[in-house]
Amino acid sequence: MSAGEASTAGSSQIAAAVQRTLSAKAERFTESVIREMTRLAMQYDAVNMAQGFPDFSAAPEVKEAARQAISDDINQYAITWGAKELRDAIARKFERTQGVRVDPEREITVTCGSTEAMMAAMMGIINPGDEVVIFEPHYENYGPDAILSGATPRFVQLQPPDWNFDRDELKRAFGPKTKAIIVNTPNNPTGKVFSREELEFIRDLCVRWNAFAVTDEIYEHIIFDGSKHISMASLDGMRDRTITINGMSKTYSVTGWRVGWAIAPPEASVPIRKVHDFLTVGAAAPLQQAGVTALELPPTYYTKLAENYRVKRDRMLGILADAGFRCFKPAGAYYIMTDISGFNFRGDDVEFAKYLVRDIGIAVVPGSSFYDDPAMGAKQVRFTFCKKDSTLDACEKKLSKLCSR
Ligand SMILES: Cc1ncc(COP(=O)(O)O)c(C=O)c1O
């Protein structure tokens, strides 16, 4: 054995030994496919239609408020569960928009993005053996959230083209072990907006099985064609069994600021606050302060936001249809799920996405990353349209190469 071979054998033994000491939980999920696609987009200089972050400016008054907060020396830790002024603003807005009155002193926890709010909520309520019902396709974080909190996921299908769920399937997913259901409305990746009737059906199951609804409402203001966002907490009987997750990222186009929150009844807020404290202590103090300005923006801000995104959605639906994709028209959020069967591409969604990023210059998210069983998404890819017009122009140009092949 040469010296080189000896050192390779040695390092693989060390790697195996280290492997045994690593977390079995972390082993059970992969790195984020969505963020990996963003890295590939940079590597191939492709147009990034994968990750849901706007490439246009945030509102000037919100940016100015952040600059002012730093100048005013709001630069030290805020109260761990959130600056009082921001919690008050969150409570005011929730009452104004959804008619739900909450106590900002006991029922709101400000976190580092809604991502942390969801993780803190799950870790705050889950015990070994608990089950969590998750609709799929689903936002990719919910899988790792379940694994890390120790919950066993029970998946229920949203079926294209309307992404409705089978009520008997949902009924069967609930049982004595059900601790919670995760409801994301408006929904990523499908664009589904849950109707009042659907939410009431879910409510009745939560009451029947004494379960929480953990609702991710981060796209609440990105909603089209007269659809209405309804918060689960506003339904009779749900105020005290709903954990509402939300944040600044999407509504105010500041995904990098990492300010989110969980609104939960006091008993659930206690463990959520404890988990949050030891995960991150708190979200960035000056950006929480800017959140106060953001949450007080007038109603016209939200109308314009939704209308701007409607125009982008319609344009993107046209671009994709012309390129040969079958699109599922979203009623909310800023994604379009597509069916790629029409391309007769030899390979699955991941291979198709890799082909698109390398050869066509467009990054998308393979459908399988939204399903527990990758085969379910093998003929789907997701595009985002939260991009400025010039980015949509570039996307259109690149995709024209696809249809001419
Ligand atoms: C449904 C959903 N929830 C949460 C997030 C993450 O939000 P935040 O930036 O507040 O962590 C995203 C981001 O894409 C999302 O699509």
Side-chain angles (χ1 to χ4, degrees):
M1 189 188 281
S2 72
E5 281 167 334
S7 80
T8 309
S11 60
S12 66
Q13 270 164 5
I14 293 169
V18 169
Q19 191 68 28
R20 277 197 299 277
T21 66
L22 300 179
S23 155
K25 280 181 175 173
E27 270 284 294
R28 284 171 55 201
F29 53 89
T30 57
E31 72 163 329
S32 157
V33 177
I34 297 177
R35 292 178 275 285
E36 184 195 357
M37 289 312 295
T38 288
R39 283 196 297 278
L40 285 178
M42 284 154 93
Q43 183 182 333
Y44 291 105
D45 198 22
V47 183
N48 188 355
M49 305 305 282
Q51 198 175 355
F53 62 84
D55 62 355
F56 44 81
S57 295
E61 56 271 58
V62 177
K63 292 192 292 186
E64 180 50 34
R67 280 191 290 269
Q68 190 61 47
I70 291 175
S71 297
D72 290 346
D73 259 328
I74 304 182
N75 293 315
Q76 309 308 326
Y77 301 123
I79 297 170
T80 181
W81 49 83
K84 177 170 167 39
E85 264 194 88
L86 178 59
R87 281 181 289 116
D88 288 350
I90 293 167
R92 278 195 302 276
K93 181 164 178 287
F94 204 35
E95 186 167 6
R96 194 163 69 232
T97 57
Q98 293 294 328
V100 184
R101 183 176 293 187
V102 294
D103 178 359
E105 290 309 317
R106 301 194 309 148
E107 296 182 295
I108 295 176
T109 307
V110 176
T111 54
C112 293
S114 69
T115 297
E116 192 214 335
M118 180 60 80
M119 185 66 84
M122 296 281 281
M123 295 190 108
I125 62 171
I126 296 297
N127 288 310
D130 285 349
E131 292 182 358
V132 171
V133 178
I134 303 176
F135 290 108
E136 71 172 3
H138 61 80
Y139 176 52
E140 62 169 358
N141 283 28
Y142 304 153
D145 287 339
I147 292 169
L148 291 174
S149 65
T152 303
R154 296 285 305 262
F155 295 102
V156 171
Q157 303 307 309
L158 296 174
Q159 286 152 2
D162 298 326
W163 306 106
N164 292 330
F165 57 88
D166 180 277
R167 295 189 174 199
D168 287 329
E169 189 188 345
L170 184 63
K171 263 193 206 161
R172 284 196 302 274
F174 274 75
K177 293 185 182 164
T178 308
K179 177 56 72 74
I181 178 169
I182 298 179
V183 182
N184 171 214
T185 182
N187 184 264
N188 172 11
T190 65
K192 176 186 174 68
V193 177
F194 283 70
S195 68
R196 178 174 294 279
E197 213 202 342
E198 287 173 322
L199 293 173
E200 285 175 350
F201 186 80
I202 296 167
R203 184 257 325 265
D204 293 346
L205 288 170
C206 288
V207 172
R208 157 89 176 77
W209 294 105
N210 191 27
F212 282 103
V214 184
T215 64
D216 181 340
E217 304 186 13
I218 187 140
Y219 297 102
E220 63 173 328
H221 293 289
I222 303 173
I223 196 149
F224 317 117
D225 310 328
S227 297
K228 199 169 164 345
H229 170 67
I230 299 167
S231 281
M232 183 66 99
S234 70
L235 264 52
D236 275 353
M238 284 310 281
R239 191 202 172 290
D240 290 332
R241 57 171 74 252
T242 302
I243 301 176
T244 308
I245 306 291
N246 213 324
M248 293 183 66
S249 284
K250 313 291 177 171
T251 302
Y252 305 106
S253 304
V254 288
T255 58
W257 282 19
R258 318 306 307 131
V259 179
W261 52 87
I263 304 175
E267 318 74 61
S269 286
V270 169
I272 290 172
R273 286 179 170 189
K274 283 198 279 189
V275 173
H276 157 70
D277 191 4
F278 290 105
L279 277 177
T280 63
V281 178
L287 304 182
Q288 292 193 45
Q289 186 62 34
V292 178
T293 302
L295 269 74
E296 298 295 344
L297 286 172
T300 48
Y301 171 82
Y302 302 99
T303 325
K304 250 167 83 187
L305 179 83
E307 177 55 12
N308 287 343
Y309 275 128
R310 187 202 55 79
V311 172
K312 290 182 191 298
R313 177 202 63 172
D314 289 351
R315 168 136 198 243
M316 197 62 191
L317 283 170
I319 294 172
L320 293 174
D322 287 348
F325 291 88
R326 178 175 170 225
C327 297
F328 302 107
K329 187 177 178 181
Y334 48 46
Y335 307 97
I336 299 175
M337 263 300 237
T338 67
D339 184 319
I340 55 173
S341 311
F343 291 104
N344 293 321
F345 181 82
R346 259 182 287 118
D348 61 12
D349 59 315
V350 175
E351 287 158 281
F352 188 74
K354 287 197 170 148
Y355 160 73
L356 280 186
V357 74
R358 268 195 232 118
D359 295 14
I360 303 293
I362 299 278
V364 298
V365 180
S368 54
S369 54
F370 303 106
Y371 292 89
D372 183 48
D373 173 3
M376 304 275 306
K379 288 289 164 219
Q380 295 171 348
V381 298
R382 189 201 75 177
F383 288 78
T384 185
F385 55 86
C386 56
K387 304 294 170 185
K388 53 191 178 204
D389 290 346
S390 56
T391 309
L392 299 186
D393 293 343
C395 174
E396 181 168 29
K397 206 161 150 212
K398 300 256 184 192
L399 282 180
S400 65
K401 284 198 275 174
L402 183 64
C403 26
S404 60
R405 282 179 184 227

